[in-house]
Amino acid sequence: MTRDRRRHGGSEHRPPPSRKPPPAPGREWGRVLLVAILSCVIGLGAFGYGSYMKWRQSVRVVTLHPAPPILTPNSSSPEASPDLFWGSYRPQVYLGMKTRSPRSVVTGLMWLSQSGSPSLRHTCEQGDGLSRYGWLMHDGVNFGIQEINDKGFTLRTEFVKRPGGHHGGDWSWRIVGTPNDPSSPAQLVSIFFYVATDGQGSLTPHVDGSGRLSSVTGTSEELGRFTIHIPRAQGGASGHISYNHLVTVCPGLHHITDVVRSSMRDRFSHPAADTGPKRRYFGLDIHHPPSHPGSDHSHIIIHQVTLYLPAQVEILFESDSFAQRPGPLSGVAFSTELEKHKKTMEDRFRERFRLEEKGFIAEQVSFAQAALSNMLGGMGYFYGSSLVRSRYNPEPASYPPAPLYTAVPSRSFFPRGFLWDEGFHLLLIARWSPPLAWQSLAHWLDLMNADGWIPREQILGPEARSKVPAEFVVQWDENANPPTLFLALRQLLADREVSSEGLQLLRRAYPRLQTWYSWFNNTQNGLLPYTYRWRGRDRDTLRFLNPKTLTSGLDDYPRASHPSDDERHVDLRCWMTLASEVMATISDLLGEDGARYKEYHMALADNSLLDKLHWSERLGAYADYGNHTQNVALEWEHFRPVPGQDPRSVPPPRLIRVVRKSPKLQFVGALGYVSLFPFLLQVLSPDSPKLGRLMDHVRDADRLWTPYGIRSLSKSSPMFMQRNTEHDPPYWRGPIWININYLLVSALHRYSQLDGPYRERALGLYRELRTNLISNLYRQYIKSGFLWEQYNDQTGHGQGSHPFTGWSSLIVLVMAEEY
Ligand SMILES: *[C@@H]1O[C@H](CO)[C@@H](O)[C@H](O)[C@H]1NC(C)=O
Ligand SMILES: *[C@@H]1O[C@H](CO)[C@@H](O)[C@H](O)[C@H]1NC(C)=O
Ligand SMILES: *[C@@H]1O[C@H](CO)[C@@H](O)[C@H](O)[C@H]1NC(C)=O
């Protein structure tokens, strides 16, 4: 948990009340009786007004933006959007499907190896230690093929959907279990399928003559009536096949694993011919549901089949509204349908990204296909309320419940929406399917409140909340996160003719985008004109080597040592430059008046003003400015007992920051990602001499260059690979991150196409960096089975959370040279 504290923002400070408090009751006119009476009347009125204002302010944080939502009320319904109704929208489990509805019926897979020490698999957990899992193919809409390598065997999970009827159609699953080493003794494995309601709907089990659960019928608000068929499993060498099932109730979806775990008992299976020895296994038995499971409880039906591998299990979901079904979607029909979609995806992938033409071998193309598939297969549909606070809300308040259709950074560690990650995700998603990207974009913007704030980490619903420690759940309404959705918008608008659907959404989005822009411009501004400052830095200067700036997305990247209002942050200024430009483009496109965005963009993009505010000659790069000293260190503080004190009550030593030289207002000497931002976001004009200077740093192996990509902080920086506290290992202080490397490759590509003195140089760097990134990510994927959160700058090894198929999947665009 400690390493992956990114984005949690637990230590976000509580901001001091700097805004003027609401007017207080008048007090000073108290001498003459008449005046006193008058004052009483006025005072009471003012008091009423004051509390009214306070109340208004406190509900404002949880008041949604007044513009009509971009997504019309039923836009995700099976009538309006049948193709996207069902999906693998539960990225937090190894396999699970649900519908895009607030309280969807959910389905899921679990398995349990009965050989060795049994361990139940359900939600994606790094602790499970699987050597590889993820989607090999997934087109985001119709089908998916996943491979999961557990100890000694592999599960292949396939699903395919079939349109028809009025409720999102049918789908089927096929789970194929294969031993990794056919010559080793056969393994006994249990495969579980469950279906559960989430506060509405009903389920009825149907059991055949042998006591085996053969189907489930049910109803729900948006699914109408449906039937789930559970055919007999195939395979199961040596005859042992046992079926168990459980029908029960639990207080919510996040309890399903516990229900299964707690209802397992020793069971015995008999070989088919009743000849061989009995075999002991863990099987579903009795579960005692809580006596008061709550109104939002789940009905669950769990099916378990226990058998020897190799084996195969199918599950068929059929909508009762499907009038002329050509036959069950199983066996050969399933394979045919799956092959059809697979072929379509392969063709489209080839046509879309043209990797073969760029000389990639088949294995590398499969790698890229898997990276895209995991991004798409990682898209989830969440529903619920964030917990938020503002200076007017000392207690966390519930945000209005809302849906979010979004990709996630990591299925195991961050299976939820993150605002700044999503802008990067959409760069790839939009290249595959603009409609999917618009959908996500619209969902995110619809989460905006009246002030123009969007909570940056979306922990919606009890299932999502169960994965996040309580102290990290609450979001502060003064904290930003890079407005990367503008990156996605820039690309969507530049790519080709914007579809009429996209244009429609954009028109509805416009008032929100305006407010979003203003929120950044008004709340994250610096003291000087045309400067910006991230709010929400750690205020505690004793505990951290450098107080973190979680809101910038770059957590522990070194900033001014002593946070103050004098700070200005160059990365945020560049994000605002981009935002101004995109707002100007959008205004033009929609025929709105975008003059102020254009003007502001001109001012922010003015390289000489940028240099004046942020170029540090000493560093030879762009820099933040603030109250800063380089001379800080973490040291152990030992406590001595005072005379007469019980030595056992002396606190243990602690690591604290010591400041050896007083801070003063100056540029922050930290060379790394932040210093490159005017380059990364292409704010620099192609003939700026600064471009050459930054290229020098980029290509310098003692600074930023590695054979695996660009490191986040220069090797020569005093904070390079320094821990921030005893418990915080370096995060953005050296390791290689793919989102920023993507920005750099795309900037180099662009500068290599523009006339200017650095054109050739940009081209050379572009080629080298691109090759390094692709070779390393591919090599690590083959070796470790995953894409990773970050890569080690010394060895290239993947590290941090995994699989991390959020922005690390941007490698597909680097391979395709699509920027
Ligand atoms: C949305 O669907 C619900 C239920 O099907 C229906 O009652 C409602 O009128 C619909 N709303 C709109 C705006 O179409
Ligand atoms: C951004 O804020 C500044 C300072 O308040 C203001 O002058 C400017 O007009 C704003 N920019 C836009 C595009 O609204
Ligand atoms: C810089 O920080 C130090 C230590 O907190 C403080 O004493 C000093 O006043 C600050 N200087 C400025 C210019 O804010």
Side-chain angles (χ1 to χ4, degrees):
M1 200 63 212
T2 52
R3 137 171 270 138
D4 300 292
R5 72 225 180 277
R6 175 169 82 112
R7 309 176 169 112
H8 274 150
S11 49
E12 282 168 16
H13 74 282
R14 197 171 158 185
S18 66
R19 260 185 241 164
K20 251 181 141 174
R27 249 187 270 124
E28 65 273 23
W29 334 332
R31 301 236 165 111
V32 188
L33 186 64
L34 188 67
V35 177
I37 291 168
L38 247 182
S39 89
C40 262
V41 172
I42 293 173
L44 273 176
F47 179 76
Y49 180 73
S51 21
Y52 169 72
M53 284 308 287
K54 260 190 201 146
W55 172 80
R56 280 242 335 228
Q57 295 285 17
S58 70
V59 294
R60 197 165 163 84
V61 65
V62 294
T63 304
L64 289 180
H65 194 277
I70 306 173
L71 295 160
T72 48
N74 286 347
S75 64
S76 298
S77 68
E79 298 85 29
S81 183
D83 294 354
L84 290 182
F85 194 52
W86 273 108
S88 54
Y89 303 137
R90 305 180 67 216
Q92 72 276 20
V93 298
Y94 288 111
L95 180 64
M97 283 178 57
K98 63 180 281 193
T99 60
R100 295 206 307 169
S101 27
R103 295 182 302 161
S104 168
V105 166
V106 307
T107 60
L109 171 78
M110 296 187 200
W111 71 94
L112 171 74
S113 167
Q114 301 271 359
S115 316
S117 61
S119 42
L120 187 67
R121 314 286 195 209
H122 178 213
T123 50
C124 300
E125 302 290 344
Q126 283 180 194
D128 286 349
L130 302 187
S131 60
R132 176 186 292 263
Y133 67 92
W135 297 103
L136 301 177
M137 293 191 84
H138 191 306
D139 69 356
V141 180
N142 301 297
F143 83 107
I145 300 172
Q146 178 178 231
E147 233 171 60
I148 303 171
N149 282 28
D150 205 338
K151 289 159 189 123
F153 60 95
T154 300
L155 290 184
R156 189 177 170 92
T157 73
E158 300 165 331
F159 81 85
V160 66
K161 283 157 60 179
R162 181 157 71 181
H166 311 294
H167 299 279
D170 295 353
W171 52 258
S172 293
W173 289 5
R174 182 150 72 191
I175 317 297
V176 183
T178 322
N180 290 347
D181 178 4
S183 63
S184 63
Q187 296 197 55
L188 192 65
V189 171
S190 292
I191 295 172
F192 302 80
F193 166 81
Y194 65 80
V195 52
T197 64
D198 186 14
Q200 57 95 12
S202 66
L203 299 170
T204 310
H206 301 274
V207 174
D208 70 10
S210 64
R212 189 186 77 87
L213 180 73
S214 59
S215 69
V216 175
T217 51
T219 62
S220 85
E221 280 165 5
E222 284 181 291
L223 283 172
R225 295 175 171 283
F226 59 85
T227 308
I228 299 173
H229 298 278
I230 309 172
R232 288 186 170 277
Q234 295 168 30
S238 51
H240 290 259
I241 293 192
S242 316
Y243 294 98
N244 305 88
H245 69 270
L246 181 68
V247 179
T248 188
V249 170
C250 79
L253 298 176
H254 52 301
H255 292 284
I256 296 179
T257 318
D258 293 338
V259 166
V260 171
R261 212 172 258 142
S262 65
S263 56
M264 303 275 251
R265 305 279 181 282
D266 272 350
R267 296 290 197 115
F268 293 91
S269 79
H270 299 270
D274 237 349
T275 48
K278 286 196 291 186
R279 164 88 207 215
R280 192 185 69 89
Y281 71 98
F282 289 106
L284 290 170
D285 194 35
I286 293 168
H287 176 251
H288 299 287
S291 38
H292 303 289
S295 61
D296 278 349
H297 63 270
S298 296
H299 290 278
I300 322 171
I301 299 182
I302 306 159
H303 168 263
Q304 175 186 13
V305 54
T306 304
L307 73 189
Y308 285 97
L309 301 184
Q312 176 178 315
V313 174
E314 286 185 347
I315 303 290
L316 284 67
F317 175 95
E318 295 185 345
S319 166
D320 287 8
S321 68
F322 204 133
Q324 265 138 11
R325 184 172 289 111
L329 188 53
S330 69
V332 176
F334 180 97
S335 306
T336 311
E337 218 36 38
L338 191 71
E339 274 309 310
K340 192 186 84 190
H341 286 301
K342 213 176 126 189
K343 172 99 181 26
T344 308
M345 180 171 185
E346 273 162 356
D347 291 347
R348 203 162 130 225
F349 190 86
R350 188 176 309 115
E351 184 215 334
R352 194 70 210 74
F353 297 115
R354 302 182 179 277
L355 297 185
E356 288 86 352
E357 288 171 30
K358 295 190 182 288
F360 290 106
I361 57 170
E363 286 80 2
Q364 290 167 322
V365 175
S366 304
F367 157 71
Q369 224 161 242
L372 171 69
S373 296
N374 280 300
M375 173 75 84
L376 297 167
M379 293 188 84
Y381 187 85
F382 307 93
Y383 190 90
S385 299
S386 291
L387 282 182
V388 300
R389 279 179 77 169
S390 75
R391 66 176 71 225
Y392 306 104
N393 297 68
E395 292 305 317
S398 252
Y399 213 64
L404 179 62
Y405 170 66
T406 183
V408 302
S410 163
R411 286 175 62 193
S412 58
F413 216 92
F414 303 110
R416 345 174 240 294
F418 287 85
L419 182 53
W420 94 293
D421 292 66
E422 192 62 5
F424 287 104
H425 298 160
L426 294 182
L427 295 174
L428 177 58
I429 293 169
R431 283 275 156 69
W432 176 250
S433 165
L436 294 190
W438 283 114
Q439 277 283 312
S440 157
L441 202 68
H443 274 94
W444 272 101
L445 292 174
D446 276 346
L447 292 172
M448 187 179 296
N449 78 0
D451 290 326
W453 174 67
I454 305 176
R456 70 198 166 93
E457 180 170 353
Q458 294 286 332
I459 310 162
L460 305 180
E463 231 185 327
R465 225 173 261 179
S466 69
K467 278 224 156 191
V468 185
E471 70 265 33
F472 296 133
V473 169
V474 179
Q475 310 282 306
W476 264 107
D477 80 335
E478 298 186 14
N479 291 345
N481 211 199
T484 54
L485 297 183
F486 283 114
L487 267 184
L489 276 163
R490 180 172 71 176
Q491 185 193 287
L492 275 163
L493 301 180
D495 263 4
R496 48 201 120 152
E497 281 288 286
V498 182
S499 65
S500 65
E501 192 204 357
L503 214 53
Q504 242 177 29
L505 288 176
L506 196 61
R507 188 167 296 286
R508 295 177 72 93
Y510 190 66
R512 287 164 190 272
L513 290 170
Q514 283 182 300
T515 318
W516 201 38
Y517 179 95
S518 301
W519 183 85
F520 275 95
N521 195 38
N522 299 335
T523 69
Q524 310 290 305
N525 53 340
L527 287 183
L528 296 181
Y530 306 110
T531 64
Y532 293 93
R533 173 168 69 87
W534 295 111
R535 303 305 197 267
R537 286 197 66 189
D538 291 323
R539 292 271 148 172
D540 187 346
T541 48
L542 192 63
R543 209 152 58 88
F544 304 103
L545 183 60
N546 186 275
K548 291 191 298 290
T549 317
L550 290 160
T551 50
S552 73
L554 308 174
D555 294 29
D556 64 346
Y557 186 94
R559 308 270 182 174
S561 61
H562 291 68
S564 72
D565 292 356
D566 294 301
E567 276 184 89
R568 44 184 196 254
H569 295 128
V570 63
D571 52 337
L572 180 51
R573 191 179 191 280
C574 294
W575 286 119
M576 290 309 293
T577 314
L578 170 84
S580 310
E581 183 186 15
V582 176
M583 282 308 291
T585 311
I586 294 176
S587 305
D588 278 355
L589 193 69
L590 297 177
E592 301 277 349
D593 177 14
R596 65 193 179 104
Y597 298 117
K598 237 171 259 173
E599 272 167 36
Y600 222 62
H601 174 243
M602 294 270 281
L604 290 175
D606 173 356
N607 280 202
S608 59
L609 181 58
L610 168 70
D611 291 355
K612 210 170 114 205
L613 291 167
H614 284 292
W615 180 266
S616 159
E617 196 48 49
R618 195 155 140 220
L619 191 66
Y622 291 98
D624 290 341
Y625 182 86
N627 194 13
H628 181 65
T629 171
Q630 202 105 288
N631 294 315
V632 291
L634 290 178
E635 281 182 5
W636 287 103
E637 182 183 34
H638 295 272
F639 298 93
R640 284 172 212 295
V642 288
Q645 189 186 5
D646 179 354
R648 280 168 305 179
S649 70
V650 174
R654 59 174 189 167
L655 206 54
I656 55 159
R657 179 170 94 165
V658 290
V659 177
R660 299 230 172 76
K661 198 173 149 199
S662 308
K664 61 169 204 233
L665 289 176
Q666 58 175 322
F667 286 116
V668 179
L671 181 69
Y673 288 168
V674 165
S675 351
L676 298 181
F677 257 80
F679 182 10
L680 296 174
L681 292 182
Q682 303 167 31
V683 179
L684 292 182
S685 76
D687 55 7
S688 165
K690 309 296 193 247
L691 202 51
R693 304 276 300 273
L694 295 182
M695 285 182 182
D696 292 341
H697 295 311
V698 162
R699 188 59 191 84
D700 184 347
D702 290 329
R703 293 195 161 87
L704 299 177
W705 188 262
T706 86
Y708 319 108
I710 301 303
R711 52 168 82 85
S712 38
L713 189 64
S714 169
K715 217 171 158 180
S716 63
S717 168
M719 295 261 176
F720 175 68
M721 292 307 283
Q722 294 296 307
R723 303 179 80 80
N724 209 32
T725 68
E726 192 183 348
H727 307 289
D728 282 342
Y731 203 46
W732 291 84
R733 294 185 181 172
I736 297 159
W737 292 81
I738 302 309
N739 61 333
I740 303 293
N741 274 276
Y742 168 83
L743 290 179
L744 184 56
V745 186
S746 66
L748 286 167
H749 187 254
R750 174 134 173 88
Y751 285 115
S752 77
Q753 292 182 326
L754 298 173
D755 271 335
Y758 308 103
R759 188 175 175 169
E760 284 305 310
R761 184 106 196 270
L763 184 62
L765 278 175
Y766 167 71
R767 289 189 174 139
E768 262 190 293
L769 179 58
R770 172 172 177 264
T771 307
N772 288 347
L773 288 168
I774 297 170
S775 321
N776 191 53
L777 263 65
Y778 177 65
R779 190 163 49 234
Q780 300 304 327
Y781 176 78
I782 295 299
K783 205 179 78 178
S784 68
F786 295 107
L787 282 169
W788 293 75
E789 183 180 23
Q790 34 162 264
Y791 291 86
N792 187 288
D793 71 310
Q794 305 295 317
T795 61
H797 290 168
Q799 55 189 29
S801 57
H802 60 279
F804 192 97
T805 46
W807 63 44
S808 295
S809 300
L810 290 176
I811 196 66
V812 179
L813 297 182
V814 176
M815 293 170 79
E817 307 195 84
E818 297 238 9
Y819 309 111

